[in-house]
């Protein structure tokens, strides 16, 4: 299970701008979406600094404002479920003292994978806003449409493309550095070529440039 011990956001709810009445949920570039996706990008940058795949997530409550901020911690926690979305969903549930995250929006820099899209359904999140698509594991639009599948007992409205270029750029730079490090290590240690490389499976969430 993803760790929920990460501290909740430090800023008080009163400091968060109120839920805008005129929010256009169909416009990925609405200022409200951009504001909170930038917060998710801050979390992604923190993941980058920790040598984690740089994905960040934020959950905003209509009543309380920002109630969860998280980033990938799979390497740190040695937990395959410790994606940014999973940790943020657990934080938000603890904050609300309920597993139902109704009247909340999940912002995430990368299109959720099948696990995280399933968690969106289980948490009854009504809205998901993501930055860049994931051609290898995207489960909201690209490969599957789990969050909006009419066969399930809950569906979320999914908005794609908020700050997409920035969200894609940090992922591309992370994997560019990993590939460069792998080549450097291969050149210096020909007897153990490949042992220092991060497995390709770790890039599966964002590896379109490898295709």
């Amino acid at each position: 299970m993803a760790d929920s011990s990460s501290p909740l956001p430090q800023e008080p709810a009163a400091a968060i701008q109120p839920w805008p009445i005129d929010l256009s949920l169909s416009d990925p570039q609405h200022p409200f979406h951009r504001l909170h996706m930038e917060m998710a990008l801050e979390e992604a940058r923190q993941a980058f600094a920790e040598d984690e795949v740089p994905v960040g997530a934020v959950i905003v409550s209509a009543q309380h404002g920002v109630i969860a901020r998280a980033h990938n911690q799979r390497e740190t926690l040695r937990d395959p479920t410790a994606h940014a979305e999973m940790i943020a969903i657990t934080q938000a549930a603890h904050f609300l003292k309920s597993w139902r995250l109704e009247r909340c929006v999940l912002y995430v820099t990368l299109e959720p994978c099948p696990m995280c899209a399933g968690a969106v359904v289980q948490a009854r999140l009504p809205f998901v806003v993501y930055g860049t698509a994931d051609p290898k594991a995207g489960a909201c639009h690209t490969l599957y449409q789990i969050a909006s599948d009419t066969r399930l007992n809950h569906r979320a409205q999914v908005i794609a493309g908020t700050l997409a270029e920035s969200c894609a750029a940090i992922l591309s730079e992370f994997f560019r550095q990993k590939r460069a490090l792998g080549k450097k290590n291969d050149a210096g240690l020909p007897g153990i070529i490949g042992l220092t490389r991060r497995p390709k499976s770790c890039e599966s969430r964002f590896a379109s440039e490898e295709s």
Side-chain angles (χ1 to χ4, degrees):
M1 294 292 293
D3 190 295
S4 62
S5 61
S6 300
L8 289 172
Q10 296 301 308
E11 56 265 62
I16 304 301
Q17 74 173 61
W19 193 273
I21 296 173
D22 63 342
L23 175 61
S24 172
L25 291 173
S26 64
D27 180 7
Q29 303 310 322
H30 190 287
F32 189 80
H33 291 331
R34 293 174 66 89
L35 169 69
H36 293 98
M37 189 61 75
E38 182 55 48
M39 293 182 185
L41 272 167
E42 290 174 4
E43 290 292 326
R45 295 182 191 110
Q46 181 62 34
F48 195 123
E50 296 173 5
D51 200 32
E52 297 274 1
V53 176
V55 177
V58 168
I59 294 179
V60 183
S61 160
Q63 181 178 359
H64 303 286
V66 176
I67 60 173
R69 295 180 61 153
H71 55 270
N72 269 354
Q73 295 189 62
R74 286 191 302 176
E75 304 297 333
T76 301
L77 300 176
R78 298 180 177 87
D79 180 354
T81 73
H83 287 191
E85 303 98 310
M86 300 294 285
I87 297 173
I89 286 171
T90 300
Q91 285 183 358
H94 283 189
F95 181 92
L96 294 175
K97 296 180 173 58
S98 173
W99 60 268
R100 291 178 176 271
L101 304 187
E102 298 165 336
R103 289 180 55 77
C104 291
V105 181
L106 168 66
Y107 290 88
V108 59
T109 57
L110 180 65
E111 180 182 2
C113 69
M115 173 180 70
C116 296
V120 165
V121 174
Q122 293 298 324
R124 304 298 191 265
L125 274 158
F127 301 108
V128 176
V129 181
Y130 70 83
T132 190
D134 185 345
K136 300 294 185 180
C140 286
H141 284 143
T142 305
L143 299 182
Y144 307 99
Q145 295 81 44
I146 292 174
S148 56
D149 192 324
T150 57
R151 295 170 297 179
L152 300 177
N153 63 346
H154 172 77
R155 289 162 295 285
Q157 182 174 348
V158 181
I159 308 298
T162 304
L163 301 182
E165 291 185 4
S166 297
C167 294
I170 190 171
L171 285 156
S172 293
E173 177 60 20
F174 178 82
F175 289 118
R176 185 196 67 78
Q177 291 186 18
K178 289 298 178 184
R179 288 192 296 272
L181 179 61
K183 290 177 182 177
K184 180 178 179 181
N185 287 335
D186 287 351
L189 298 170
I192 54 171
I193 287 177
L195 292 182
T196 56
R197 286 181 176 168
R198 183 183 290 259
K200 279 188 177 292
S201 60
C202 293
E203 301 186 20
S204 64
R205 295 197 73 200
F206 191 82
S208 59
E209 64 269 29
E210 299 282 17
S211 301

